[in-house]
């Protein structure tokens, strides 16, 4: 009763359009045609002569109605896609109302599908309204049995889209179960792909159910699943961090299409990812029909799954597979998103050379306007959302930060100089001034290399450019001083002392004093950046590496006075201070403090290793052996260096061959998996 009549509907400003005029035209032409027909009927002598003309008029009228129905359908679709859901549904209901009054067009299944699609595109999605539209149409709406509509597979797809867009996995699964029995529609590959999408979008994602749906669909010879369904299932696995099954699903696709994959088996990526499935449960039925070839989106999604799980080596292996594919098919060339993922892996692993290679690839992408995954995903002719992420067409700030950090973390030697070079290059390439993250990454590289002078220069440069450092930045500067002290001790051969008689010189005093000065500045009343436990750990380490054990313990007490909680790194740095001087009494104090005052922090391999080394320097071989046994009893795994230290402890002072043999016997694979005799 609330639905306006056709004429009232036509009077609305929104619908003073061709569609409205066409509905009015149909009514007018129908009235004129009826009058003409009545006039002819009155002329009894001319009925036969005009019968052929009447049949032609019927066909013309039906063609005109069909044409106008399609126009209304297009109008509903356009309104739905533009977000005018209420207008779309009003237009749909007006058709039903007009037909009930015998003054309009007959509703069709296509019209119903367009209205359901408008519900799917609404924000928020109107799934309940879509179900009501379907059930009312199947019952004939306001007309009754004479106008009952039969849903088709497109109806099912639009309904399933409602549940996918609303992240309603349960609703999607219920619809899938009822589709054949209740609506008489057999789901096709689009319906299954959309149901998998509902599971992927669900909170939390239903990855297991997504795989079950994929397996069910691919086991039906009448359903030819496209690559989109596979990619959506892999995306569900990526969202839950299940990288192993994501890689396995990719491998099964490759095996089905190419008999195990067409990538180069001699590469690290190929040998790592090509696998036999004889000894593991397959994700898909071996008799899967019409398995599609994996595309660039498949590989990129698997890469994202490995990235989300922190499996950085796997990220690079998948990247290698993409590059091998691209040799034969340019559409597989890595785009901005996959290159960024590869750079992220290089940054986490400290692979400077690989990071430089991927950075160059990103530069070439900007020069050539290369592949763009965002464009690949779009298959419609509509406008891209204004909220959509812009495609990467060359290096951006994130790209350079990752590359700089990869150089800083490079092992065994930091590539800090390359990091600074990239910092200088960043603004000219991206047009953006390096921020605190980029500078901090460079300073972290200086910290790894012990380039404390350069670290302070970068800090001064930040101040001149009015780039505010943060606590991570300043902690990294202090850490550069600690590494500088450690490097100076190695160069002078002062890593071992028996009596604490180290004469400090400028090589130690300079960086240590600069570290303590910066710490005092951070603690000052006017400072906006206060030290945290990481800052104190770096300062304690600087004192430890400078053989200043007393100052290290003083900083430890200061840390607790500031209300900070010591960490296992704090105690490790303290133990290092004791080890450098061979002060067994101080080392015992550290162990006792951890046990009695700070029970939540347990000694790790680093602390036990330093304590055993301290026993060796103090000539206490028996205590070194006791600590080694205690370490293993607590479930820790000594490395080879720790075993060697415990062995050498048996020959400091009085040699004890029997004790040395006892230490060596502990060096067994079962009890010490991390250690191998050298």
């Amino acid at each position: 009763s609330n639905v306006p009549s056709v004429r009232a509907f036509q009077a609305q400003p929104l619908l003073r359009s061709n569609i409205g005029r066409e509905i009015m035209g149909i009514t007018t032409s129908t009235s004129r045609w009826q009058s003409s027909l009545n006039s002819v009927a009155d002329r009894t002598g001319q009925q036969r002569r005009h019968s052929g003309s009447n049949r032609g008029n019927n066909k013309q009228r039906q063609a005109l109605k069909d044409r106008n129905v399609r126009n209304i359908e297009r109008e509903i679709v356009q309104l739905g896609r533009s977000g005018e859901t209420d207008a779309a549904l009003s237009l749909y209901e007006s058709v039903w109302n007009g037909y009930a009054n015998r003054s309009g067009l007959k509703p069709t299944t296509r019209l119903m599908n367009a209205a359901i699609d408008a519900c799917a595109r609404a924000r928020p999605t109107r799934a309940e309204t879509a179900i009501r539209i379907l059930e009312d149409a199947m019952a004939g709406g306001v007309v009754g049995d004479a106008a009952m509509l039969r849903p088709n597979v497109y109806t099912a797809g639009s309904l399933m889209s409602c549940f996918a867009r609303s992240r309603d996995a349960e609703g999607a699964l219920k619809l899938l179960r009822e589709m054949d029995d209740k609506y008489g529609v057999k789901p096709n590959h689009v319906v299954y792909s959309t149901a998998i999408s509902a599971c992927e979008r669900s909170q939390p994602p239903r990855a297991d159910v997504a795989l079950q749906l994929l397996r069910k669909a691919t086991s039906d010879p009448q359903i030819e699943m496209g690559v989109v369904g596979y990619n959506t299932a892999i995306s569900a696995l990526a969202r839950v961090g299940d990288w192993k099954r994501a890689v396995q699903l990719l491998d099964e696709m490759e095996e089905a299409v190419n008999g195990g994959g067409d990538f180069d088996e001699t590469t690290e990526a190929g040998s790592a990812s090509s696998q036999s499935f004889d000894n593991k449960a397959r994700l898909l039925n071996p008799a899967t029909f019409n398995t599609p070839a994996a595309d660039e989106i498949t590989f990129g999604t698997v890469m994202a799954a490995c990235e989300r799980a922190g499996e950085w080596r796997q990220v690079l292996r998948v990247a290698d597979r993409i590059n091998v594919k691209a040799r034969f098919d340019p559409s597989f060339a890595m785009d901005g998103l996959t290159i960024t993922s590869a750079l992220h892996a290089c940054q986490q692993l400290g692979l400077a050379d690989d990071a430089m290679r991927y950075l160059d690839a990103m530069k070439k992408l900007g020069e050539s306007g290369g592949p763009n995954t965002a464009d690949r995903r779009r298959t419609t002719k509509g406008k891209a959302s204004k909220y959509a992420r812009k495609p990467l067409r060359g290096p951006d700030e994130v790209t350079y930060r990752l590359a700089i950090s990869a150089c800083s973390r490079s092992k065994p030697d930091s590539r800090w100089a390359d990091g600074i070079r990239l910092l200088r290059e960043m603004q000219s390439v991206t047009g953006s001034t390096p921020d605190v993250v980029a500078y901090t990454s460079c300073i972290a590289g200086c910290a790894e290399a012990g380039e404390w002078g350069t670290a302070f220069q970068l800090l001064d440069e930040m101040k001149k450019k009015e780039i505010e450092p943060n606590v991570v930045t300043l902690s990294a500067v202090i850490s550069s001083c600690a590494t500088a002290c450690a490097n100076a001790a190695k160069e002078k051969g002062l890593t071992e002392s028996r009596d604490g008689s180290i004469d400090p010189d400028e090589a130690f005093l300079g960086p240590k004093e600069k570290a303590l000065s910066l710490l005092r500045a951070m603690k000052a009343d006017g400072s906006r950046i206060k030290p945290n436990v990481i800052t104190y750990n770096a300062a304690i380490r600087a004192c430890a590496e400078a053989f200043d054990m007393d100052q290290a313990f003083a900083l430890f007490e200061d840390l607790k006075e500031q209300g900070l909680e010591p960490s296992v790194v704090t105690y490790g740095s303290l133990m290092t201070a004791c080890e450098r001087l061979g002060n067994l009494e101080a080392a015992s104090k550290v162990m006792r403090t951890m046990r009695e005052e700070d029970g939540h922090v347990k000694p790790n391999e680093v602390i036990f290793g330093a304590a055993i080394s301290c026993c060796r320097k103090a000539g206490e071989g028996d205590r070194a052996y006791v600590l080694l046994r205690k370490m293993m009893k607590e479930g820790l795994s000594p490395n080879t260096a720790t075993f060697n230290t415990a062995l050498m402890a048996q020959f400091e002072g009085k040699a004890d061959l029997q004790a040395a043999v006892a230490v060596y016997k502990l060096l067994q694979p079962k009890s010490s998996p991390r250690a191998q005799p050298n």
Side-chain angles (χ1 to χ4, degrees):
S1 61
N2 294 327
V3 178
S5 66
V6 175
R7 298 184 183 278
F9 177 78
Q10 292 167 344
Q12 296 180 18
L14 176 64
L15 295 162
R16 290 175 189 159
S17 60
N18 292 333
I19 295 300
R21 287 193 291 272
E22 286 172 356
I23 296 175
M24 180 70 79
I26 281 293
T27 305
T28 304
S29 63
T30 302
S31 299
R32 290 176 180 173
W33 179 85
Q34 187 65 49
S35 298
S36 176
L37 183 62
N38 292 338
S39 177
V40 171
D42 290 340
R43 302 175 185 177
T44 57
Q46 301 177 0
Q47 286 184 2
R48 289 187 178 181
R49 182 162 54 88
H50 287 284
S51 60
S53 175
N54 290 340
R55 287 194 296 270
N57 286 339
N58 285 336
K59 293 181 179 180
Q60 292 176 5
R61 184 180 69 163
Q62 187 60 45
L64 181 62
K65 284 187 175 183
D66 291 343
R67 184 169 65 252
N68 288 325
V69 168
R70 288 194 294 271
N71 288 338
I72 295 174
E73 175 195 335
R74 283 193 291 268
E75 184 77 8
I76 292 174
V77 170
Q78 291 172 1
L79 290 171
R81 290 181 176 178
S82 62
E84 299 179 67
T85 310
D86 290 333
L89 297 183
S90 294
L91 179 54
Y92 171 73
E93 291 179 0
S94 72
V95 174
W96 277 96
N97 202 53
Y99 186 69
N101 295 331
R102 298 183 179 180
S103 59
L105 306 172
K106 182 178 180 180
T108 65
T109 299
R110 290 173 62 98
L111 277 177
M112 174 183 67
N113 293 347
I116 293 174
D117 181 70
C119 294
R121 296 176 184 274
R123 294 293 180 268
T125 306
R126 304 185 187 183
E128 293 182 0
T129 303
I131 293 292
R132 178 180 59 79
I133 288 174
L134 172 61
E135 294 181 348
D136 286 350
M138 291 178 66
V142 295
V143 179
D145 294 347
M148 289 191 302
L149 300 181
R150 290 177 60 86
N152 56 25
V153 72
Y154 299 102
T155 315
S158 296
L159 269 179
M160 191 64 75
S161 182
C162 286
F163 294 111
R165 290 171 184 261
S166 60
R167 305 175 185 274
D168 185 0
E170 290 300 327
L173 296 174
K174 180 181 178 183
L175 175 63
L176 200 60
R177 289 191 297 268
E178 297 177 346
M179 193 172 293
D180 198 357
D181 296 336
K182 187 173 182 179
Y183 301 123
V185 177
K186 182 176 176 58
N188 64 359
H189 68 284
V190 174
V191 175
Y192 269 107
S193 295
T194 312
I196 293 171
S197 178
C199 297
E200 185 263 344
R201 296 185 180 193
S202 176
Q203 295 294 343
R206 305 282 295 277
D208 289 333
V209 179
L211 279 179
Q212 292 172 9
L213 292 178
L214 180 63
R215 185 180 179 92
K216 181 178 180 181
T218 55
S219 299
D220 189 337
Q222 297 181 357
I223 298 177
E224 186 173 345
M225 284 294 290
V227 71
V228 173
Y230 285 81
N231 292 348
T232 308
I234 292 174
S235 180
L237 295 170
R239 293 191 62 201
V240 298
D242 192 347
W243 68 273
K244 290 184 178 180
R245 288 198 290 179
V247 172
Q248 182 182 343
L249 184 52
L250 171 62
D251 288 340
E252 289 188 24
M253 293 175 68
E254 292 278 271
E255 182 193 46
V257 174
N258 304 312
D262 59 358
F263 50 89
D264 186 356
E265 296 289 347
T266 62
T267 64
E268 178 187 2
S271 61
S273 55
S274 62
Q275 21 181 325
S276 171
F277 302 104
D278 294 339
N279 298 323
K280 61 164 50 176
R282 298 183 66 100
L283 300 179
L284 300 180
N285 190 328
T288 294
F289 299 92
N290 302 314
T291 302
D295 62 8
E296 65 280 358
I297 305 299
T298 315
F299 280 91
T301 309
V302 172
M303 202 171 179
C306 298
E307 182 180 14
R308 183 181 288 265
E311 292 292 330
W312 307 113
R313 295 287 179 187
Q314 286 291 339
V315 170
L316 295 180
R317 290 189 180 107
V318 178
D320 287 343
R321 293 176 70 174
I322 295 175
N323 288 328
V324 172
K325 288 274 189 182
R327 296 176 193 169
F328 308 98
D329 184 354
S331 68
F332 275 88
M334 295 180 71
D335 63 4
L337 295 179
T338 50
I339 292 175
T340 301
S341 295
L343 273 169
H344 191 190
C346 294
Q347 180 252 353
Q348 291 290 321
L349 298 172
L351 302 177
D353 289 331
D354 289 334
M356 293 292 191
R357 178 164 56 88
Y358 283 113
L359 179 60
D360 288 340
M362 186 73 88
K363 292 177 182 177
K364 292 177 181 177
L365 186 67
E367 294 169 359
S368 62
N372 170 28
T373 300
D375 290 343
R376 291 170 180 162
R377 291 177 185 270
R378 288 191 60 218
T379 57
T380 65
K381 297 180 180 179
K383 294 181 179 179
S385 170
K386 64 180 180 179
Y387 302 108
R389 180 177 178 179
K390 294 182 179 180
L392 289 173
R393 295 294 191 184
D396 62 356
E397 299 88 342
V398 174
T399 307
Y400 268 94
R401 289 182 201 133
L402 292 172
I404 291 170
S405 183
C407 293
S408 297
R409 296 185 178 197
S410 179
K411 301 295 183 182
D413 299 318
S414 171
R415 298 274 290 276
W416 60 275
D418 287 325
I420 293 177
R421 178 180 60 79
L422 293 178
L423 182 75
R424 307 300 183 214
E425 180 186 290
M426 180 177 175
Q427 184 167 3
S428 62
V429 174
T430 66
S432 300
T433 302
D435 59 1
V436 62
V437 177
Y439 270 99
T440 301
S441 295
C442 278
I443 293 174
C446 296
E448 290 289 332
E451 294 290 332
W452 65 282
T454 305
F456 275 97
Q457 289 175 6
L458 290 171
L459 185 60
D460 291 338
E461 186 177 310
M462 292 177 67
K463 293 178 181 178
K464 291 178 182 178
K465 293 184 177 181
E466 297 183 347
I467 301 173
E468 184 73 22
N470 55 31
V471 67
V472 179
T473 313
L474 300 182
S475 299
V477 173
I478 294 176
S479 183
S480 70
C481 299
T483 307
C485 292
N487 292 344
K490 290 179 181 178
E491 291 174 2
K492 294 177 178 294
L494 300 177
T495 55
E496 296 186 8
S497 171
R498 298 295 186 273
D499 54 7
S501 58
I502 298 296
D503 293 327
D505 59 15
E506 185 60 29
F508 302 114
L509 292 178
K512 186 194 77 170
E513 290 303 325
K514 287 288 286 186
L516 295 178
S517 176
L518 181 55
L519 178 62
R520 286 192 294 269
M522 294 176 69
K523 291 170 55 181
D525 293 337
S527 174
R528 288 180 295 183
I529 305 172
K530 298 298 182 183
N532 60 13
V533 66
I534 297 175
T535 314
Y536 271 98
N537 290 346
I540 292 172
R541 178 169 165 259
C543 295
E545 299 293 1
F547 299 89
D548 191 347
M549 187 183 70
D550 293 337
Q551 184 64 55
F553 274 92
L555 289 176
F556 176 70
E557 296 299 328
D558 187 20
L559 177 152
K560 293 191 292 184
E561 290 176 3
Q562 298 294 326
L564 300 174
E565 290 288 337
S567 67
V568 68
V569 177
T570 312
Y571 288 106
S573 297
L574 270 183
M575 187 62 77
T576 298
C578 304
E579 187 273 339
R580 291 291 185 263
L581 297 177
N583 193 321
L584 195 54
E585 181 180 353
S588 299
K589 179 182 177 182
V590 173
M591 285 291 195
R592 188 167 55 252
T593 302
M594 294 183 70
R595 182 175 63 254
E596 297 177 356
E597 299 181 14
D598 200 349
H600 71 280
V601 179
K602 303 296 183 183
N604 61 6
E605 287 90 347
V606 174
I607 294 175
F608 270 109
I612 291 171
S613 179
C614 188
C615 293
R616 180 180 75 85
K617 291 182 178 181
E620 296 285 346
D622 54 341
R623 296 184 68 173
Y625 177 74
V626 170
L627 280 175
L628 181 66
R629 293 296 301 267
K630 180 176 176 61
M631 177 183 182
M632 299 174 69
K633 185 178 180 180
E634 293 187 6
L636 301 175
S637 299
N639 58 21
T640 302
T642 303
F643 273 103
N644 290 345
T645 302
L647 276 171
M648 290 187 289
Q650 310 311 315
F651 299 96
E652 297 287 347
K654 183 180 178 180
D656 191 342
L657 181 59
Q658 185 176 359
V661 171
V663 171
Y664 181 76
K665 286 183 177 180
L666 294 176
L667 188 56
Q668 300 296 327
K670 290 184 179 180
S671 56
S672 307
R674 293 179 58 204
Q676 293 292 332
N678 61 14

